Amino acid sequence: MSEMAKKEDNGFTFTRSASSNARIGGLARIQTHTNTPPEVCHDDSTPPVKAQTIHDLHSLQKKKSSAPSTPITSSAAASPFSTILEEERQRLQLQSISASLASLTRETGPKVVRGDPASKVVTHHHHDHHYLTPTFDDASDSALKFTHVLYNLSPAELYEQAIKYEKGSFITATGALATLSGAKTGRSPRDKRVVKDESTEHDLWWGKGSPNIEMDEHTFLINRERAVDYLNSLEKVFVNDQFLNWDPEHRIKVRIVSARAYHSLFMHNMCIRPTPEELEEFGTPDFTIYNAGQFPCNRYTHHMTSSTSIDINIARKEMVILGTQYAGEMKKGLFSVMHYLMPKRNILSLHSGCNMGKDGDVALFFGLSGTGKTTLSTDHNRYLIGDDEHCWSENGVSNIEGGCYAKCVDLSREKEPDIWNAIKFGTVLENVVFDEHTRDVDFSDKSVTENTRAAYPIEYIPNAKIPCVAPHPKNVILLACDAFGVLPPVSKLSLAQTMYHFISGYTALVAGTEDGIKEPQATFSACFGAAFIMMHPTKYAAMLAEKMQKHGATGWLVNTGWSGGRYGVGNRIKLPYTRKIIDAIHSGSLLNAEYTKTEVFGLEIPTAIEGVPSEILDPVNTWGDKKAYQDTLLKLASLFKKNFEGFISYKIGTDQSLTEEILAAGPTL
């Protein structure tokens, strides 16, 4: 391998290796100087990656194998003249990039040529649906002048592009595509911004507690220009035209413009895939993403706090991504958009799992990370509607997405057989570690990140219902992993209590051991997805109550956490017991049980459930130290009250009556 060559130019370091295939389209990698503290480009949802370059990440990704391998010898060593030619070619390419970024002809419109620019044959005359030249007739695309647009490629084509051009892309033993997302291995919520204009100023939730960080239109256009200029500088880009929402009456057309095959395959899996006929009639998209994640934003631009920026402009129907290659930003960015668009149509957007029994009874599952939402909504005796994002309209429930985005840390065939079996050809595996020789993935290895993920089409789950639509829900299940150990395993909620706990979005887990914290840490996320909602939580809660009341749904609070004491003292409630509880909810038998009411939280708890020890149904029975139980219960109640103080100034309904009901449904001290 030749030595790394570096060239200083205008504040950037151009780093290149003659043997590296890390460049997309042969372009050199561009890195900013590290004069600023590392935390400037922090990741708010996952620990920082312990790597400085893509080569460091690559070394974490591949485990050395003890298996013998056949030595590979080259008959001809690289000529010194080839290095000179490579450097000259790269110099010319860098000049081309500079010229493109400085171009004043960006408004000339796109020049679309289908095919791989590295290929000697330009494919103009194929008639398969993915060879159709897209019609870029939307104003949001008028600034693009690509040479090659790789349009709605198949997974096989995207595999070829990723393996050929993207460092860290490999085929695993089961056929999945393993990729690296770079320095960011999770979302960066502090870098996500929404344009505040005359419309969104009144519609959106702003201020303390809100996920919406404001930016102005001018700053958005600066970032958009930067992203489009970067994309214009590339030899090729990938374009996906797809749908959101399986309900055809409320379907949204989205266009994703990206620079990586990994991103294109990810969105191919996560959005709803059009038929060839639907692609021909696709027309103007309702929303467009410009993903220039390899290129940083200008940190000196107004509102920027790091080299990462994820910007949404509702009025322009556009989203711009700079400075992060984590694919989940696209998925969750579109989910945020749906949280704005759907309520405008009186459709409730939900961060939930959903399944349906063979008799047509539908259940929604809400829960934060670690509460068991994915595990409990995956049931071989029921149809899967979706695992994460849904809409509840007058037509019933529909999945927003066309795929699943499952966590892979410590994944096993025994615990999650459906997810395990879905990791095959077509699936994207993010930031996993695998054996260098066998390509077997080690899901327990967190060398790159703990947030390893798999993105696959929903039809990879055997019991998925296609199309992913269902009747109105019968049960609304709120999941909490209570590490304080004081919430009952199951409680039947009144409508007001359902709204209170839905707005609260509670769970309590134990913080990571790195900082030495072992006490339970309460987490509240409004509507069980505060990072993605656009309007005030009470708006979604009011819509939920209205739909539950109209269609006769029952609310339940299920604790999948600890019993008999807090974390470190008690034990986690056994999964078979929780499954029995969920089964009783589905069957309707729990509605006919006898109930008693708990103190402080005023929760109705059943006295008996088949297959579940009766003594654990009331948590006070499982604590040996009754005073410790009472103290812990009051502590948790005070945390609930403190969290809810941020919502009491917002009313629901013209007479505020529901607000008073909701407040009364909270714990009493």
Side-chain angles (χ1 to χ4, degrees):
M1 178 179 291
S2 66
E3 293 185 356
M4 303 297 290
K6 294 186 177 180
K7 178 183 177 183
E8 301 292 333
D9 183 29
N10 297 328
F12 291 93
T13 301
F14 297 96
T15 309
R16 53 184 177 269
S17 168
S19 63
S20 172
N21 67 348
R23 298 175 297 273
I24 299 178
L27 301 180
R29 291 176 289 118
I30 302 176
Q31 300 174 329
T32 57
H33 279 311
T34 56
N35 296 332
T36 53
E39 59 268 20
V40 167
C41 195
H42 65 274
D43 188 314
D44 294 300
S45 58
T46 56
V49 179
K50 298 175 182 177
Q52 297 299 317
T53 67
I54 189 68
H55 299 283
D56 294 340
L57 274 175
H58 190 201
S59 66
L60 293 174
Q61 186 187 30
K62 289 172 63 178
K63 282 186 171 181
K64 292 296 181 183
S65 173
S66 58
S69 59
T70 305
I72 300 174
T73 57
S74 175
S75 58
S79 166
F81 295 104
S82 64
T83 303
I84 296 173
L85 292 173
E86 172 73 6
E87 290 188 356
E88 174 64 14
R89 184 181 68 81
Q90 297 223 9
R91 185 185 67 80
L92 293 173
Q93 284 182 323
L94 290 172
Q95 286 181 350
S96 174
I97 292 174
S98 299
S100 179
L101 292 174
S103 172
L104 298 177
T105 61
R106 285 187 292 267
E107 300 300 327
T108 58
K111 294 166 66 176
V112 180
V113 179
R114 170 65 179 86
D116 182 352
S119 173
K120 293 181 180 179
V121 180
V122 180
T123 54
H124 289 290
H125 305 295
H126 293 273
H127 298 290
D128 298 294
H129 75 269
H130 56 273
Y131 286 97
L132 293 171
T133 300
T135 303
F136 292 104
D137 52 2
D138 185 28
S140 66
D141 286 308
S142 63
L144 300 177
K145 59 175 190 63
F146 304 125
T147 303
H148 290 83
V149 172
L150 305 187
Y151 182 67
N152 273 51
L153 296 191
S154 67
E157 290 174 300
L158 291 170
Y159 265 57
E160 293 168 1
Q161 290 288 327
I163 291 167
K164 188 174 183 180
Y165 297 110
E166 297 179 13
K167 186 79 170 178
S169 294
F170 298 89
I171 301 177
T172 67
T174 62
L177 180 70
T179 66
L180 291 171
S181 67
K184 297 296 184 78
T185 60
R187 291 181 298 102
S188 301
R190 295 181 190 174
D191 296 310
K192 177 186 167 188
R193 291 165 179 79
V194 182
V195 173
K196 191 173 186 179
D197 54 28
E198 292 181 359
S199 176
T200 57
E201 181 179 4
H202 302 289
D203 289 342
L204 268 55
W205 177 27
W206 303 101
K208 185 179 179 181
S210 166
N212 301 315
I213 304 173
E214 67 179 80
M215 73 184 309
D216 58 81
E217 170 88 6
H218 180 71
T219 304
F220 174 85
L221 292 175
I222 290 174
N223 281 357
R224 181 190 185 279
E225 188 96 330
R226 190 173 176 91
V228 170
D229 282 344
Y230 170 76
L231 293 167
N232 275 334
S233 73
L234 304 177
E235 291 184 355
K236 62 188 174 188
V237 295
F238 301 88
V239 174
N240 294 39
D241 278 352
Q242 295 182 260
F243 300 118
L244 298 177
N245 197 350
W246 282 86
D247 182 351
E249 188 178 335
H250 302 292
R251 190 167 65 179
I252 300 296
K253 297 184 292 184
V254 293
R255 174 169 292 162
I256 303 99
V257 183
S258 57
R260 292 192 62 178
Y262 145 50
H263 289 154
S264 186
L265 181 57
F266 177 90
M267 295 307 282
H268 170 88
N269 290 346
M270 295 310 302
C271 296
I272 300 167
R273 293 158 288 283
T275 64
E277 295 74 23
E278 288 171 333
L279 265 187
E280 287 187 20
E281 301 297 328
F282 194 83
T284 302
D286 299 309
F287 201 85
T288 301
I289 294 178
Y290 297 102
N291 188 344
Q294 296 95 313
F295 201 64
C297 70
N298 186 332
R299 291 180 290 107
Y300 297 101
T301 303
H302 188 44
H303 298 295
M304 301 300 102
T305 55
S306 78
S307 58
T308 298
S309 191
I310 303 102
D311 308 326
I312 295 175
N313 189 324
I314 296 293
R316 288 184 63 92
K317 304 176 183 179
E318 292 179 336
M319 177 179 174
V320 169
I321 298 175
L322 290 164
T324 173
Q325 297 179 60
Y326 181 63
E329 295 288 9
M330 294 183 288
K331 164 188 162 67
K332 291 304 187 183
L334 288 176
F335 190 32
S336 294
V337 171
M338 293 295 279
H339 269 307
Y340 177 83
L341 297 177
M342 292 298 101
K344 288 287 189 179
R345 302 184 183 186
N346 199 32
I347 298 171
L348 177 59
S349 48
L350 301 165
H351 186 211
S352 71
C354 181
N355 65 24
M356 183 179 77
K358 292 179 172 57
D359 295 328
D361 60 292
V362 176
L364 294 174
F365 293 83
F366 294 89
L368 303 179
S369 179
T371 59
K373 181 181 70 171
T374 301
T375 300
L376 295 172
S377 62
T378 303
D379 188 331
H380 291 164
N381 297 315
R382 297 173 66 82
Y383 299 109
L384 177 68
I385 307 302
D387 74 331
D388 195 48
E389 302 176 9
H390 292 87
C391 287
W392 188 352
S393 71
E394 285 304 303
N395 300 328
V397 175
S398 56
N399 190 352
I400 289 175
E401 301 180 295
C404 301
Y405 194 33
K407 286 189 174 182
C408 291
V409 62
D410 297 325
L411 179 68
S412 68
R413 188 195 300 268
E414 295 72 29
K415 291 181 180 178
E416 301 285 358
D418 286 345
I419 297 175
W420 180 275
N421 292 328
I423 298 176
K424 56 186 179 181
F425 180 82
T427 296
V428 176
L429 278 176
E430 285 182 323
N431 302 314
V432 297
V433 176
F434 53 82
D435 185 282
E436 187 174 17
H437 173 63
T438 66
R439 295 293 194 265
D440 288 323
V441 177
D442 183 355
F443 292 108
S444 65
D445 195 313
K446 307 166 189 174
S447 298
V448 179
T449 178
E450 187 170 325
N451 188 38
T452 52
R453 296 269 184 169
Y456 48 85
I458 194 167
E459 55 264 29
Y460 281 16
I461 300 297
N463 62 327
K465 181 182 178 295
I466 308 295
C468 302
V469 295
H472 297 286
K474 181 179 177 182
N475 294 293
V476 174
I477 301 169
L478 312 182
L479 300 169
C481 179
D482 179 28
F484 288 98
V486 295
L487 288 183
V490 61
S491 311
K492 184 174 69 173
L493 302 176
S494 67
L495 194 60
Q497 285 177 322
T498 303
M499 295 173 74
Y500 182 89
H501 287 278
F502 178 71
I503 292 173
S504 297
Y506 164 75
T507 195
L509 300 173
V510 178
T513 55
E514 288 186 8
D515 54 14
I517 298 175
K518 295 186 178 181
E519 292 292 319
Q521 301 293 301
T523 299
F524 295 93
S525 183
C527 308
F528 292 93
F532 320 120
I533 61 177
M534 299 284 271
M535 301 175 183
H536 194 271
T538 55
K539 168 70 174 177
Y540 303 100
M543 293 183 69
L544 177 64
E546 179 187 358
K547 292 184 181 297
M548 287 180 65
Q549 196 167 33
K550 182 175 181 178
H551 300 288
T554 304
W556 306 88
L557 179 63
V558 174
N559 174 24
T560 62
W562 272 255
S563 178
R566 63 169 177 80
Y567 172 86
V569 178
N571 298 299
R572 190 158 189 183
I573 298 169
K574 294 180 179 179
L575 180 58
Y577 294 160
T578 303
R579 288 198 182 277
K580 288 289 185 182
I581 290 170
I582 299 298
D583 288 343
I585 291 174
H586 290 324
S587 69
S589 63
L590 206 51
L591 281 174
N592 302 319
E594 292 185 9
Y595 285 87
T596 60
K597 185 170 286 191
T598 67
E599 56 181 346
V600 181
F601 277 88
L603 299 171
E604 289 194 31
I605 57 175
T607 57
I609 300 175
E610 185 179 351
V612 181
S614 297
E615 60 270 17
I616 75 168
L617 296 177
D618 190 341
V620 68
N621 297 333
T622 63
W623 282 62
D625 188 338
K626 305 301 182 186
K627 184 179 184 305
Y629 166 78
Q630 190 68 24
D631 291 344
T632 308
L633 180 65
L634 293 175
K635 178 181 179 180
L636 180 60
S638 67
L639 292 173
F640 264 85
K641 281 191 167 292
K642 182 178 180 181
N643 171 72
F644 214 82
E645 287 174 359
F647 305 118
I648 59 177
S649 61
Y650 289 83
K651 66 179 182 178
I652 301 178
T654 54
D655 58 357
Q656 290 190 282
S657 58
L658 286 179
T659 304
E660 297 303 322
E661 280 187 54
I662 295 173
L663 289 174
T668 56
L669 294 174

